Amino acid sequence: MVTEEIPFLDLQGAYQELADELDAAAKRVLRSGWYILGAEVAAFEQEFAAYCGVNHCIGVGNGLEALSLILHAYGIGKNDEVIVPANTYIASWLAVSHNGATPVPVEPDECTCNINPALVERAITPKTRAIMAVHLYGQTADMDPLNELAARYDLKVIEDAAQAHGALYKGRKAGSLGHAAGFSFYPGKNLGAFGDGGAVLTNDPQLAELVRKLRNYGSTTKYYNEVIGFNSRLDELQAALLRVKLGRLDQWNDRRRKIAVLYQQGLRLTSLVLPTVPAWAEPAWHLYVVRSARRDRLQRRLAEEGINTMIHYPIPAHLQKAYGHMPIPEGSLPLTEKIHDEVLSLPMGPHLSPADQQRIIAAVCAILSEEQG
């Protein structure tokens, strides 16, 4: 009989490990009397920009708004197209739609589940303005061929780095691999806030200046509005807490990598399709995603054993009701649809104990052996 459940992600563990530092940071903000766009946001922006190896970081309300503001600042909108991965969370598409542009999906590489650069060129039309590369599950997309295509066709390359805090591509960090990048600090991310938050990263000073205005009602000086802007600001409290967690990001990512290695070793002889890591990639292991033709049964049996898993994601964007108006019927993107039918995310996080991980591996192996027997 199972006496204790294994959570998919232990968010309480993060607070417990850093409680004194987080409490001190929160009190510092609460005592300051300044809660929006103050010293903490400015300091976090500088520190996260330096961490990612870029010149500019602009804290915003969340990851979706980070992507939306990038597209808006580049003037991408009605009658424009943006190439997006077919296999991604819907937020990548929503950012395009919110600006009035059309998302044009491209199938993934089956090994990495990220956008397949070899298929991108055929999706480019005279209306194409940008390529959005999503670093899915914490592993970077193959950026060099995407950047080469973008240079040839005069397109922008936008990184959706919401799952890739600290991930590396040929030694360079996610967020520094295109013209601009959008990050999310949703609590479950590798660098997660205690609420919502996001950021735009770029080396483009003009883009940075415009996004700073757009996030704050189109203003840099209070009550003087230069452009039609939005209200999308990372608040002081979240910035202060993120500064504490940023100092632990590499250490916590290293714990995730060690967990991934143990999963790879412990599950290598099973029928599961395990993650593939190209030689040029060093994932941040936001998620550890396996594939199984009998995914639903495996998830159900693990739940019976007290092991919580998740499906990232059960329905691809093109089959969501929100995109029912687009002429992309079921079967049009077969690899994406197959992936969404098979993926299962096992527990992953810096506070997953070795004992719990061994229990997960043993349970998965036993369940799959039952099927084969």
Side-chain angles (χ1 to χ4, degrees):
M1 181 178 178
V2 175
T3 57
E4 186 174 350
E5 286 200 357
I6 298 175
F8 176 72
L9 173 65
D10 180 7
L11 288 176
Q12 290 179 320
Y15 173 72
Q16 291 165 355
E17 182 174 342
L18 302 177
D20 290 344
E21 294 173 70
L22 291 167
D23 289 350
K27 288 178 181 178
R28 186 172 69 241
V29 174
L30 295 173
R31 290 169 177 161
S32 74
W34 194 290
Y35 307 122
I36 300 290
L37 294 186
E40 297 291 346
V41 170
F44 174 73
E45 289 174 340
Q46 292 176 354
E47 291 161 7
F48 194 54
Y51 175 83
C52 293
V54 299
N55 294 329
H56 305 282
C57 170
I58 305 96
V60 299
N62 54 66
L64 172 56
E65 290 174 359
L67 296 173
S68 294
L69 289 170
I70 292 168
L71 292 165
H72 188 88
Y74 278 135
I76 296 172
K78 187 177 180 181
N79 298 322
D80 293 329
E81 295 177 350
V82 177
I83 291 173
V84 295
N87 183 47
T88 183
Y89 182 54
I90 197 171
S92 311
W93 290 42
L94 293 176
V96 177
S97 299
H98 284 172
N99 282 279
T102 300
V104 177
V106 169
E107 287 267 64
D109 179 307
E110 186 165 11
C111 291
T112 66
C113 294
N114 275 320
I115 194 169
N116 188 340
L119 304 179
V120 170
E121 187 167 16
R122 70 185 68 172
I124 295 174
T125 75
K127 294 182 178 181
T128 306
R129 295 285 308 280
I131 301 169
M132 186 176 290
V134 180
H135 305 317
L136 199 63
Y137 311 147
Q139 179 166 286
T140 59
D142 190 0
M143 296 301 295
D144 281 354
L146 296 178
N147 282 313
E148 289 167 8
L149 273 175
R152 197 185 318 155
Y153 288 94
D154 192 25
L155 307 175
K156 298 298 184 185
V157 175
I158 300 166
E159 298 174 74
D160 180 342
Q163 300 183 358
H165 313 73
L168 296 177
Y169 175 78
K170 299 183 178 180
R172 297 168 56 202
K173 284 208 173 74
S176 68
L177 306 173
H179 293 94
F183 279 87
S184 166
F185 304 125
Y186 182 78
K189 305 299 185 183
N190 291 41
L191 180 60
F194 291 79
D196 251 328
V200 171
L201 272 67
T202 185
N203 284 318
D204 181 343
Q206 293 180 323
L207 179 73
E209 181 181 5
L210 182 50
V211 171
R212 287 189 189 279
K213 294 175 184 176
L214 289 171
R215 73 169 174 184
N216 189 37
Y217 299 100
S219 170
T220 50
T221 303
K222 194 167 185 177
Y223 302 132
Y224 291 83
N225 305 85
E226 301 169 52
V227 296
I228 296 174
F230 306 86
N231 178 11
S232 180
R233 303 173 296 203
L234 179 66
D235 70 63
E236 284 287 284
L237 181 60
Q238 298 301 341
L241 299 173
L242 285 167
R243 292 181 68 196
V244 174
K245 294 181 80 174
L246 179 59
R248 291 296 201 286
L249 179 57
D250 285 342
Q251 178 186 336
W252 286 2
N253 279 351
D254 188 56
R255 292 184 198 172
R256 289 173 178 267
R257 292 187 186 101
K258 289 175 181 176
I259 290 168
V261 168
L262 287 177
Y263 272 142
Q264 297 285 83
Q265 293 174 345
L267 301 174
R268 70 186 187 282
L269 299 179
T270 69
S271 60
L272 297 176
V273 177
L274 303 182
T276 297
V277 180
W280 41 258
E282 292 183 44
W285 294 107
H286 173 61
L287 299 171
Y288 186 86
V289 181
V290 299
R291 290 172 53 193
S292 170
R294 303 192 67 187
R295 183 266 313 278
D296 293 342
R297 180 185 182 278
L298 176 58
Q299 183 178 44
R300 183 174 63 255
R301 289 283 288 107
L302 286 171
E304 292 170 358
E305 298 292 328
I307 297 169
N308 289 277
T309 60
M310 291 188 70
I311 297 172
H312 295 89
Y313 301 94
I315 304 173
H318 71 283
L319 298 181
Q320 296 280 2
K321 187 176 179 180
Y323 284 99
H325 62 282
M326 292 185 65
I328 311 177
E330 187 170 358
S332 299
L333 298 165
L335 180 52
T336 292
E337 293 171 24
K338 179 182 179 185
I339 288 171
H340 282 249
D341 286 341
E342 295 181 349
V343 289
L344 184 68
S345 299
L346 300 182
M348 168 58 82
H351 299 94
L352 179 65
S353 73
D356 281 348
Q357 190 182 8
Q358 290 299 335
R359 184 176 140 199
I360 294 162
I361 292 171
V364 171
C365 290
I367 292 166
L368 295 176
S369 295
E370 289 174 9
E371 292 181 358
Q372 293 174 353

